[in-house]
Amino acid sequence: MDEELIEPGDFTEEGGRAAMHELLRRRPGLDAVFAASDVMASGAVLELRAAGRRVPDDVAVVGFDDSIVARHIDPPLTSVRQPMEEMGRAMADLLLDEIAGRAGRREVVLPTRLVVRESA
């Protein structure tokens, strides 16, 4: 893994802009970016535009959450959808089992889905 291709952010639009700015400084020729949230991805798109880069022609952008932001940004954002309701149910079940002393530590993996839109 190339550490120069990783830049932390704070899950805000401004954090996405700052992270994208730093990535472009280090790797001006990058052609794709994955952001840990749709909000950060929207900031990355804004920063790419400010740098004269076109999404998706020059740089593909993918976010995470498939939030309302993904559908309303221009171009619409490709994003990873999580099963939020199922996550909530699983967390509640795990918590109730823990409180009742019925179970030790368990790992739960829920499926995600890539929602392809125009940004990638």
Side-chain angles (χ1 to χ4, degrees), residues 33-57:
V33 64
F34 174 76
S37 76
D38 293 340
V39 173
M40 285 181 54
S42 71
V45 168
L46 293 173
E47 190 62 27
L48 286 164
R49 278 194 192 127
R53 307 290 298 273
R54 297 168 299 153
V55 175
D57 299 327

Side-chain angles (χ1 to χ4, degrees), residues 29-111:
L30 67 80
D31 62 0
V33 64
F34 174 76
S37 76
D38 293 340
V39 173
M40 285 181 54
S42 71
V45 168
L46 293 173
E47 190 62 27
L48 286 164
R49 278 194 192 127
R53 307 290 298 273
R54 297 168 299 153
V55 175
D57 299 327
D58 300 325
V59 181
V61 178
V62 176
F64 196 91
D65 291 328
D66 194 32
S67 68
I68 194 165
V69 170
R71 293 184 298 279
H72 294 287
I73 189 173
D74 181 34
L77 185 65
T78 294
S79 185
V80 177
R81 178 178 293 161
Q82 304 179 82
M84 297 302 280
E85 288 182 27
E86 197 175 335
M87 287 171 62
R89 278 192 295 278
M91 300 262 304
D93 289 344
L94 288 170
L95 180 60
L96 291 172
D97 285 347
E98 185 76 23
I99 290 169
R102 289 191 294 255
R105 289 220 176 285
R106 291 185 292 165
E107 182 177 306
V108 176
V109 178
L110 300 174

Side-chain angles (χ1 to χ4, degrees), residues 2 4-5 22-31 53:
D2 186 345
E4 282 195 358
L5 293 173
E22 182 59 25
L23 286 170
L24 285 173
R25 184 190 67 76
R26 286 198 304 258
R27 295 289 181 97
L30 67 80
D31 62 0
R53 307 290 298 273

